């Protein structure tokens, strides 16, 4: 028998493929993690405060405490993800050593480095990173991200930014795929995108990793919209546990992602969900409070 | 020939591409009535507990058991292998289809950082098969009628019972189509 290999790109990106058509839910304690698992979440994202609370309370937002992450790992059998600050590779080392299954290098936390993201190839644990456009997505993949998500505008319950980012990335993929080869290098230069990855997108008409929606998804209809736009799955942050009936809303969003192109089922699961989280109009937010601007 | 790929959650697109490469027509299955027009069913990898709930929601669990009774072939990979097992160690409450006489243990090789790649020898395959194991289940016990086609460190990792096939690794994540071909030629065409 040949040698066993762990922590390879194939094992990381392959794991990300398994989340497709699923919903990854933000949770802040083991009890919420169990509710998410019972509702059919494909993974939970362990964090100290959901984005809506980070937005309200302010202050520096960091990775979660080890005991909190371990409590969630012990509570559920599905994969556990956890957030680290942009550029904070020591937080990532700690999260990896706890046995977390996926690391989110996230703009929702306060960035630790104003110029550089983590060199993610150094880790055995896979990473997901946010992106607002194709250049950003391909830079993160070149650094070793095994999964990309839209940034959206987390904690607002407003899906408009996630839609903007999804349309931007997916639109660029279509245009790269149909571009004559001689235009690819200039496209790479103009978007700060690694040329070899632009070439990959040109040949395959897709990113080399899965591409999820995140930031502002609050209803089953929002989740299905992101799927119909062409994303592979959905992260829901504040949208579930800031709503009136989290268990029911969580189940409804899970069903909506599977049956995203079946309006009868979408209508059915959207019934009697109680209050959705209160949303924020993004154009009323001051520039310095926009999380999607973080990351380089 | 129509191959159905269960598409409630998980890596269904990779199986779809693999079968399309081999010239089969592939139908995505999300609701029970969609099983009517297919000759064989693949249950892909994904999150087994999520897939179990989504199958139960609209009665796919019952419909798949009727599908098996019609002697059509079924193949489960990773989470799909958990779905078709008769027993799930430590999770007796997790809904399952009980299509194959075996006991599986979820995430038995460790969490994601322990996920691995390795070359396997598969019965009747001339060359080794590069296999990807992701938070893979371990097959702890198999019934007398279950045949072992491949092992990893003495654990069965590819098993066959009549027309039901299970692999705890992910052939759909590589470009090697030999297991997909095996499924079509040995289990679907021989119907």
């Amino acid at each position: 028998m040949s040698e066993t290999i762990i922590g390879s790109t194939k094992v990381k990106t392959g794991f990300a493929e398994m989340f497709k058509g699923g919903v990854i839910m933000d949770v802040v304690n083991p009890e919420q993690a169990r509710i998410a698992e019972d509702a059919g979440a494909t993974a939970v994202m362990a964090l100290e405060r959901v984005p809506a609370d980070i937005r309200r309370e302010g202050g520096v937002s960091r990775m979660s405490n080890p005991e909190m992450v371990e409590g969630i790992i012990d509570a559920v059998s599905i994969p556990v993800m956890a957030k680290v600050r942009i550029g904070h590779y020591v937080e990532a080392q700690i999260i990896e050593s706890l046995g977390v299954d996926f690391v989110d290098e996230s703009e929702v936390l306060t960035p630790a480095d104003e110029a550089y993201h983590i060199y993610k190839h150094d880790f055995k644990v896979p990473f997901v990173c946010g992106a607002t456009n194709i250049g950003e997505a391909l830079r993160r993949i070149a650094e070793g991200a095994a999964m990309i998500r839209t940034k959206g505008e987390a904690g607002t319950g407003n899906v408009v930014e996630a839609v903007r980012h999804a349309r931007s990335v997916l639109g660029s993929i279509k245009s790269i795929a149909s571009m004559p080869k001689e235009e690819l290098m200039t496209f790479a230069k103009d978007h700060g995108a690694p040329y070899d990855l632009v070439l990959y997108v040109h040949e395959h008409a897709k990113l080399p990793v899965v591409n999820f929606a995140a930031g502002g998804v609050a209803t089953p209809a929002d989740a299905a919209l992101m799927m119909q736009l062409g994303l592979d799955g959905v992260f829901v942050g504040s949208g579930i546990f800031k709503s009136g009936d989290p268990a029911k809303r969580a189940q409804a969003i899970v069903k909506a992602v599977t049956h995203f192109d079946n309006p009868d089922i979408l209508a059915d699961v959207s019934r009697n969900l109680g209050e959705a989280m209160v949303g924020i109009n993004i154009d009323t937010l001051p520039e310095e409070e926009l999380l999607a601007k973080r990351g380089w | 020939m129509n191959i159905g790929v269960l598409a409630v959650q998980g890596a269904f697109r990779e199986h779809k591409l693999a079968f399309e490469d081999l010239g089969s027509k592939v139908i995505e299955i999300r609701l029970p009535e969609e099983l009517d027009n297919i000759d064989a069913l693949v249950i892909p990898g994904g999150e087994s507990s999520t897939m179990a709930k989504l199958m139960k929601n609209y009665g796919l669990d019952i419909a798949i058991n009727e599908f098996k009774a019609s002697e059509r072939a079924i193949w489960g990979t990773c989470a799909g292998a958990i779905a078709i097992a008769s027993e799930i160690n430590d999770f007796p409450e997790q809904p399952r289809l009980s299509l194959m006489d075996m006991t599986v243990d979820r995430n038995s090789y460790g969490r994601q950082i322990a996920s691995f790649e390795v070359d396997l020898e598969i019965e009747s395959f001339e060359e080794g098969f590069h296999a990807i194991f992701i938070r893979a289940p371990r097959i702890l016990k198999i019934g007398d009628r279950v045949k072992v086609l491949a092992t990893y460190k003495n654990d069965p990792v590819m098993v066959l019972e009549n027309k039901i096939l299970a692999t705890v690794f992910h052939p759909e994540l590589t470009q090697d189509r030999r297991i997909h071909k095996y499924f079509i030629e040995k289990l679907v065409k021989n119907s």
Side-chain angles (χ1 to χ4, degrees):
Chain A
M1 188 171 291
S2 72
E3 211 182 326
T4 303
I5 308 161
I6 59 168
S8 61
T9 299
K10 193 77 209 169
V11 159
K12 292 176 184 171
T13 57
F15 181 40
E17 302 282 351
M18 300 304 141
F19 293 111
K20 282 187 307 198
V23 183
I24 298 162
M25 302 181 192
D26 277 2
V27 298
V28 299
N29 57 46
E31 190 198 354
Q32 288 187 355
R34 279 186 214 102
I35 292 171
E37 180 174 46
D38 289 343
T42 50
V44 289
M45 174 75 72
L47 75 175
E48 223 135 58
R49 297 179 285 172
V50 293
D53 289 335
I54 292 175
R55 202 172 270 294
R56 209 184 56 238
E57 293 159 15
V60 174
S61 244
R62 310 178 181 93
M63 76 167 190
S64 300
N65 294 322
E67 62 275 20
M68 179 269 187
V69 175
E70 283 167 339
I72 288 172
I73 288 176
D74 291 342
V76 295
S77 66
I78 55 177
V80 175
M81 301 186 168
K83 288 185 192 292
V84 302
R85 285 179 269 175
I86 289 174
H88 206 316
Y89 53 86
V90 175
E91 283 191 350
Q93 291 163 5
I94 292 169
I95 291 292
E96 180 178 50
S97 94
L98 295 176
V100 163
D101 298 293
F102 229 104
V103 177
D104 184 1
E105 185 183 17
S106 177
E107 69 284 356
V108 168
L109 306 185
T110 310
D113 194 312
E114 288 184 329
Y116 307 111
H117 283 252
I118 298 170
Y119 184 70
K120 293 165 273 284
H121 290 293
D122 277 348
F123 291 80
K124 289 194 172 64
V125 68
F127 280 72
V128 53
C129 288
T132 60
N133 58 51
I134 190 76
E136 206 175 359
L138 296 181
R139 289 195 295 278
R140 297 295 85 81
I141 295 167
E143 291 160 356
M147 180 186 211
I148 291 295
R149 55 171 175 75
T150 60
K151 286 186 179 171
E153 193 53 44
T156 61
N158 187 341
V159 81
V160 66
E161 286 299 304
V163 169
R164 190 202 312 276
H165 302 157
R167 283 200 184 276
S168 172
V169 171
L170 296 168
S172 296
I173 290 171
K174 282 199 196 97
S175 98
I176 293 171
S178 60
M179 212 172 259
K181 272 217 163 72
E182 67 272 18
E183 295 182 12
L184 296 175
M185 181 59 84
T186 299
F187 184 93
K189 183 187 82 174
D190 291 346
H191 292 79
Y195 180 69
D196 59 328
L197 291 175
V198 173
L199 209 53
Y200 178 95
V201 173
H202 178 68
E203 280 162 12
H204 298 85
K206 64 188 259 315
L207 295 179
V209 302
V210 299
N211 187 13
F212 268 52
V217 174
T219 66
D222 288 348
L225 172 65
M226 301 313 294
M227 296 299 289
Q228 287 197 22
L229 281 171
L231 296 180
D232 296 319
V234 175
F235 285 86
V236 186
S238 321
I240 289 172
F241 289 101
K242 286 284 161 192
S243 74
D245 188 344
K248 199 166 178 196
R249 183 166 294 267
Q251 282 175 30
I253 293 176
V254 168
K255 288 184 192 170
V257 168
T258 295
H259 300 284
F260 66 92
D261 57 357
N262 187 326
D264 294 338
I265 290 181
L266 294 176
D268 185 43
V269 303
S270 299
R271 271 182 242 279
N272 304 316
L273 291 182
E275 286 295 307
M277 73 177 282
V278 178
I280 300 173
N281 278 322
I282 290 161
D283 43 18
T284 63
L285 286 174
E287 179 88 9
E288 65 273 15
E289 286 183 20
L290 295 176
L291 304 179
K293 303 266 183 221
R294 297 169 170 178
W296 3 97
Chain B
M1 184 188 353
N2 294 336
I3 307 280
V5 179
L6 188 74
V8 294
Q9 195 272 317
F12 49 88
R13 202 180 311 145
E14 284 59 40
H15 275 296
K16 189 175 177 195
L17 291 171
F19 283 113
E20 284 172 351
D21 270 1
L22 296 171
S24 303
K25 183 171 180 326
V26 177
I27 297 174
E28 293 184 6
I29 307 293
R30 292 185 175 83
L31 293 169
E33 55 269 27
E34 292 161 346
L35 293 168
D36 295 345
N37 302 317
I38 58 172
D39 302 298
L41 176 68
V42 176
I43 305 177
E47 177 46 47
S48 69
S49 60
T50 304
M51 286 166 55
K53 288 177 189 97
L54 286 162
M55 277 192 267
K56 228 178 145 100
N57 281 336
Y58 294 97
L60 262 170
D61 51 344
I62 295 162
I64 292 173
N65 263 288
E66 288 165 2
F67 184 88
K68 184 207 176 191
S70 70
E71 290 286 307
R72 282 175 282 182
I74 299 175
W75 173 20
T77 55
C78 194
I82 298 171
I84 65 177
S86 53
E87 299 292 337
I88 304 171
N89 195 38
D90 290 337
F91 295 92
E93 305 295 314
Q94 181 165 326
R96 56 199 180 277
L97 300 167
S98 292
L99 306 179
M100 186 185 270
D101 184 7
M102 67 173 171
T103 305
V104 296
D105 188 35
R106 290 178 57 197
N107 310 327
S108 192
Y109 295 91
R111 304 191 68 87
Q112 170 58 17
I113 46 172
S115 290
F116 60 97
E117 302 179 38
V118 72
D119 287 332
L120 297 177
E121 280 171 23
I122 297 176
E123 190 187 292
S124 85
F125 283 35
E126 282 178 11
E127 282 169 31
F129 192 95
H130 191 68
I132 299 173
F133 290 75
I134 293 174
R135 279 175 57 104
R138 190 192 305 259
I139 298 173
L140 298 180
K141 212 167 77 187
I142 50 171
D144 296 338
R145 292 182 315 277
V146 180
K147 199 178 152 194
V148 177
L149 301 178
T151 59
Y152 169 70
K153 292 188 173 167
N154 299 323
D155 294 326
V157 293
M158 178 172 175
V159 292
L160 178 68
E161 182 180 359
N162 191 20
K163 284 192 176 174
I164 314 285
L165 178 69
T167 51
V168 303
F169 54 94
H170 292 278
E172 78 284 7
L173 291 181
T174 63
Q175 293 304 307
D176 191 339
R177 305 300 190 214
R178 285 179 293 161
I179 298 179
H180 289 83
K181 213 169 155 191
Y182 170 93
F183 180 69
I184 292 174
E185 283 172 4
K186 300 278 161 123
L187 304 179
V188 188
K189 281 190 181 159
N190 280 345
S191 315

